Amino acid sequence: MKANALRAWLILALVVAAVISVVGKKADSPIVGWLSFATFLCALVLYVSWRRAALRERRGRVFDPEAQTTDETRARPDQ
């Protein structure tokens, strides 16, 4: 999965955990509280996956030192 998609899922999981936590506090239900905590743990797993995917994508972009740039098309004074 791409890093941007994982980031969207991460944000969604955090929002869902927050909403469930508020509902659990209002209902004074420990089961709903634990459900919000489990959702937060899933968000932590998504965070780690997102960071790994972002690093993988960043490392996948290879700079080509042989690529033509504007500096290579004209003579430089040091040559």
Side-chain angles (χ1 to χ4, degrees), residues 4-73:
N4 287 339
L6 283 172
R7 191 171 105 196
W9 282 107
L10 167 65
I11 293 169
L12 180 68
L14 287 173
V15 168
V16 168
V19 168
I20 293 174
S21 177
V22 168
V23 169
K25 293 282 185 187
K26 294 279 185 184
D28 197 27
S29 172
I31 294 173
V32 177
W34 276 105
L35 182 62
S36 71
F37 180 68
T39 308
F40 179 74
L41 289 179
C42 291
L44 285 177
V45 170
L46 282 171
Y47 174 75
V48 171
S49 300
W50 168 62
R51 290 303 303 154
R52 287 183 179 174
L55 284 173
R56 206 175 322 117
E57 286 180 12
R58 189 179 311 144
R59 288 181 183 148
R61 294 184 210 126
V62 178
F63 175 71
D64 186 11
E66 299 295 323
Q68 288 274 333
T69 61
T70 56
D71 291 338
E72 293 179 16
T73 57

